[in-house]
Amino acid sequence: MSRSSLRRELVVPITAVVIGVAVAIGWVSMKAGSDAVFSLTQRVLVDMVSRINVATEKHLDGALTALESIAPSSAHMPKEHHFNPDLQVLEDKFWTASGLFMDMNNYVYFGGKDGSFLGVYRISQSDVQLFLRSANDQRRSVYQVSGVGDRSHLIRTDEFDPRKRPWYQAARNSEAPVWSGIYNNFSFHYPTITLAKAVFEKNHEFAGVVATDVTLKELSNFLSKLDISKNSVAYIVDEDGYIVATSGKEIPERTVNGMPERMRAVDMKTVLISSTYAKLSQLNVKTPETREFDLPMGLVDMAISPLGNKQGLHWQTIVAVPRSDFMSSINEGFLQSVAIAIACILFALTIGLTIVERVIRDIRKLTAAAEKFGNGEAMPKLDIRRTDEIGILAQTFTEMENKLRFDKLTQVANRESLFAQINHLQIMAKEQPENFSGFTLLFVDLDRFKNVNDNHGHDAGDKVLVITAARLRSAIRDTDEVARYGGDEFVLLLKNTKTTIDIHNMVEKISVLVEEPIALENAMVGIGASIGWASFPEDGDDYVRLIKIADSRMYNRKRDRKTASIVHAV
């Protein structure tokens, strides 16, 4: 396996697992968040329409309460109540009734069957207008007043006959309170709906109609203040689909032939109103419910609820929220989670790659050592300080090298290691001839070694071999090698030998070192060295041939030494 592939095999699974876990956690979080948001959205929408309904019906009930305070229904009285149409008597009652719910129905009025009219409009606690027309007057007078009976400040007069107004005519023919359609108030030009009630004197004689206005502008103000979401819309429609109130900025009216006209929900320019109501207009909703529609703007969640049934109205409250509004926080959280996940992935990969690189670095050392061992070279110092499996492997490598590459007694290379190194050098000579300058083998045979064994024992002989091996090692360069060939024979591998002179100089140097006396426990002994040599490629390109040539030259030298010794003795 190559180094890169080992790294890939280690890093890719780690990366895949870390990314997979991050993606899985992100997906689960996103799914859980989406489900939670959907569930929360439904509850929020239902709660919101309920809140709108409660507030709106409170205003509508205020109108009923205001009329009841003026003309109580017989069902609410212990005995039959007769309405007194006297305008002075009614003025005092209207001051009270108009102040009950000033935010929505602060205008209470009465139109008599004789054309008389009385109305109290409370703009604020201190700013009150009185509308008055007696039966004999042709015009209605409007006063700025400070209390009951005040007529000191006339603002204007206008032509007004209550009997011609739609609210009067609708209530005239009904025994129950009647709600008008939505219209622009005659005097104040606000979107308004009127609750009118016919009143009767003794003997059930029709006296006129009392009424109060509910200003729908306040409903829109209330809706606009609701904190739903950034792009949501809440609106109320009547049974004909006209906008009653909306939280949007678009005004639900338009001008046709110079006259203001209320707008239907489907005609609104606010897409979220027109498109959602187009989906809901065919529904007959009796209880609050939620819907989900896929519109061009995306998924939209909606809640719809009937409104005003107990007050006699048939309105609907609708709240529409683009799903993206509620998902924006989830998406932001998801993006934050992605950023955190990326940071965690980078951190985990940094830690993982650091660990992997440390493992690979030590494995590279073992690989290089194994290559050198296979070439018969001495393994470099591994310097792997670990207690795990790699540390044990490094220790095993070292022990294996000592057992397989080195002679157990002398701790120099053994024969197999020598042959492996020679073979490696021959391969290099073929592959890189331009960078190779040859090598030389010195075959060393110890003279008089048998005498040491015979006279002093094998232990002494072993000591001589150890000392001799050490002397041979000290005589060569670090790049060269000493090997025990067998018994008392050694082979020296000299790399990059230049000339024959260098070889002879090395032979002489070794001979001098080996023949120095050796101190044993009880004696001094001396041995000699017969050395033969062979060079690659001059003497051959095969290590077997080189060994034979070096061995032959060694025997020739040994013979010459013996001959010289005999001649000297004679």
Side-chain angles (χ1 to χ4, degrees):
M1 181 183 295
S2 67
R3 294 174 184 174
S4 60
S5 64
L6 177 59
R7 181 184 287 108
R8 184 170 57 252
E9 296 235 359
L10 291 173
V11 171
V12 169
I14 294 175
T15 305
V17 168
V18 172
I19 294 176
V21 170
V23 170
I25 293 175
W27 182 85
V28 171
S29 300
M30 188 68 176
K31 182 67 167 58
S34 299
D35 293 343
V37 164
F38 178 76
S39 177
L40 179 63
T41 300
Q42 306 307 301
R43 292 198 298 271
V44 167
L45 292 178
V46 172
D47 290 344
M48 193 59 66
V49 296
S50 298
R51 180 181 173 187
I52 294 171
N53 285 1
V54 168
T56 303
E57 289 178 349
K58 177 182 176 181
H59 294 317
L60 298 177
D61 287 339
L64 290 170
T65 302
L67 293 190
E68 283 291 312
S69 68
I70 299 169
S73 300
S74 57
H76 298 154
M77 300 296 291
K79 60 181 181 179
E80 186 176 2
H81 175 75
H82 303 294
F83 183 80
N84 185 354
D86 184 87
L87 298 184
Q88 292 183 354
V89 174
L90 290 178
E91 184 178 353
D92 185 58
K93 291 184 178 181
F94 283 9
W95 268 81
T96 301
S98 62
L100 293 176
F101 306 100
M102 288 183 58
D103 55 343
M104 288 291 290
N105 48 290
N106 54 351
Y107 181 38
V108 183
Y109 46 94
F110 165 73
K113 65 180 180 180
D114 56 2
S116 60
F117 182 83
L118 177 71
V120 175
Y121 173 45
R122 282 183 177 269
I123 301 174
S124 66
Q125 289 291 352
S126 58
D127 188 6
V128 182
Q129 293 182 2
L130 176 71
F131 297 79
L132 180 63
R133 179 180 187 267
S134 64
N136 298 323
D137 292 338
Q138 297 298 318
R139 296 178 66 82
R140 182 178 67 171
S141 300
V142 182
Y143 298 92
Q144 183 77 35
V145 298
S146 58
V148 177
D150 182 13
R151 306 287 189 275
S152 59
H153 184 195
L154 178 65
I155 300 175
R156 69 177 187 276
T157 62
D158 56 33
E159 293 183 359
F160 183 85
D161 188 343
R163 293 169 296 185
K164 297 179 181 180
R165 303 304 298 164
W167 53 268
Y168 183 97
Q169 296 171 5
R172 173 73 179 82
N173 300 317
S174 175
E175 296 182 0
V178 177
W179 291 95
S180 70
I182 300 172
Y183 64 95
N184 269 31
N185 185 279
F186 181 82
S187 300
F188 315 113
H189 306 292
Y190 293 148
T192 305
I193 185 172
T194 297
L195 177 64
K197 175 183 178 181
V199 290
F200 301 89
E201 299 181 76
K202 291 182 179 181
N203 301 322
H204 296 284
E205 183 179 353
F206 177 71
V209 175
V210 293
T212 184
D213 289 347
V214 177
T215 305
L216 301 183
K217 179 181 179 182
E218 293 301 321
L219 279 181
S220 292
N221 291 339
F222 169 75
L223 294 183
S224 65
K225 294 176 182 178
L226 294 176
D227 185 14
I228 306 174
S229 70
K230 180 180 179 181
N231 300 301
S232 63
V233 65
Y235 59 99
I236 301 172
V237 293
D238 65 13
E239 58 187 330
D240 295 322
Y242 286 94
I243 292 289
V244 176
T246 175
S247 63
K249 296 181 179 180
E250 183 182 3
I251 299 175
E253 69 175 40
R254 59 189 172 189
T255 302
V256 179
N257 297 325
M259 297 296 294
E261 181 181 276
R262 305 302 301 164
M263 290 184 65
R264 295 179 183 271
V266 291
D267 297 326
M268 294 285 284
K269 294 181 179 179
T270 304
V271 178
L272 198 55
I273 295 178
S274 58
S275 59
T276 53
Y277 190 73
K279 295 282 187 180
L280 297 172
S281 58
Q282 304 301 321
L283 296 179
N284 183 18
V285 179
K286 298 183 182 300
T287 57
E289 61 180 70
T290 57
R291 297 281 174 143
E292 174 188 302
F293 292 108
D294 190 4
L295 301 176
M297 66 190 71
L299 282 175
V300 175
D301 293 302
M302 288 176 284
I304 180 172
S305 174
L307 170 64
N309 287 345
K310 68 178 182 179
Q311 289 84 12
L313 294 171
H314 301 287
W315 292 354
Q316 289 180 332
T317 302
I318 300 167
V319 177
V321 181
R323 179 75 59 84
S324 57
D325 277 13
F326 284 106
M327 287 298 295
S328 60
S329 59
I330 296 297
N331 292 334
E332 290 177 4
F334 178 72
L335 292 177
Q336 292 176 355
S337 298
V338 169
I340 293 173
I342 291 174
C344 290
I345 289 172
L346 294 177
F347 178 76
L349 289 180
T350 300
I351 297 298
L353 289 174
T354 301
I355 296 173
V356 167
E357 189 60 32
R358 181 169 175 259
V359 171
I360 291 178
R361 183 182 64 244
D362 291 338
I363 291 178
R364 285 175 181 169
K365 291 180 180 179
L366 291 173
T367 301
E371 289 177 354
K372 286 185 174 294
F373 180 77
N375 296 333
E377 300 178 77
M379 287 200 309
K381 187 177 179 180
L382 293 177
D383 192 27
I384 297 177
R385 297 183 178 89
R386 304 169 66 111
T387 58
D388 56 10
E389 288 80 357
I390 294 179
I392 295 173
L393 180 60
Q395 183 180 355
T396 303
F397 256 67
T398 303
E399 293 173 353
M400 181 177 65
E401 181 192 31
N402 290 332
K403 291 179 181 179
L404 299 181
R405 184 177 181 276
F406 294 103
D407 178 65
K408 185 176 182 181
L409 175 63
T410 61
Q411 290 301 301
V412 296
N414 57 25
R415 181 189 300 198
E416 288 75 15
S417 177
L418 174 66
F419 291 162
Q421 292 186 61
I422 295 173
N423 185 62
H424 175 64
L425 292 174
Q426 290 174 330
I427 294 174
M428 287 183 60
K430 292 181 180 179
E431 294 179 351
Q432 303 176 17
E434 68 281 358
N435 298 325
F436 189 78
S437 58
F439 62 87
T440 298
L441 299 179
L442 300 185
F443 198 104
V444 180
D445 182 77
L446 302 183
D447 298 333
R448 300 186 299 278
F449 178 72
K450 184 176 182 299
N451 294 335
V452 175
N453 277 336
D454 292 343
N455 297 328
H456 302 283
H458 288 285
D459 289 340
D462 289 346
K463 183 176 182 180
V464 169
L465 289 175
V466 171
I467 292 173
T468 301
R471 290 177 176 178
L472 291 173
R473 190 184 299 124
S474 67
I476 62 176
R477 299 164 297 182
D478 291 338
T479 56
D480 299 332
E481 187 66 272
V482 177
R484 185 182 178 191
Y485 194 73
D488 60 350
E489 296 174 334
F490 293 87
V491 174
L492 279 64
L493 173 59
L494 307 179
K495 302 175 183 177
N496 299 322
T497 51
K498 303 297 184 182
T499 64
T500 304
I501 295 175
D502 294 334
I503 297 171
H504 285 293
N505 288 338
M506 181 59 72
V507 169
E508 291 302 324
K509 179 181 178 181
I510 292 171
S511 296
V512 171
L513 283 175
V514 172
E515 291 177 358
E516 288 183 0
I518 298 173
L520 301 178
E521 289 184 1
N522 300 316
M524 294 289 292
V525 297
I527 59 173
S530 298
I531 303 174
W533 58 274
S535 295
F536 176 90
E538 292 83 354
D539 294 318
D541 57 2
D542 178 76
Y543 72 86
V544 175
R545 177 174 174 77
L546 293 173
I547 291 291
K548 286 183 178 180
I549 292 175
D551 183 50
S552 175
R553 288 175 177 171
M554 179 273 296
Y555 273 110
N556 291 336
R557 184 174 177 82
K558 183 183 288 287
R559 184 190 62 219
D560 293 343
R561 285 165 61 86
K562 285 183 179 180
T563 301
S565 176
I566 293 172
V567 171
H568 181 73
V570 172

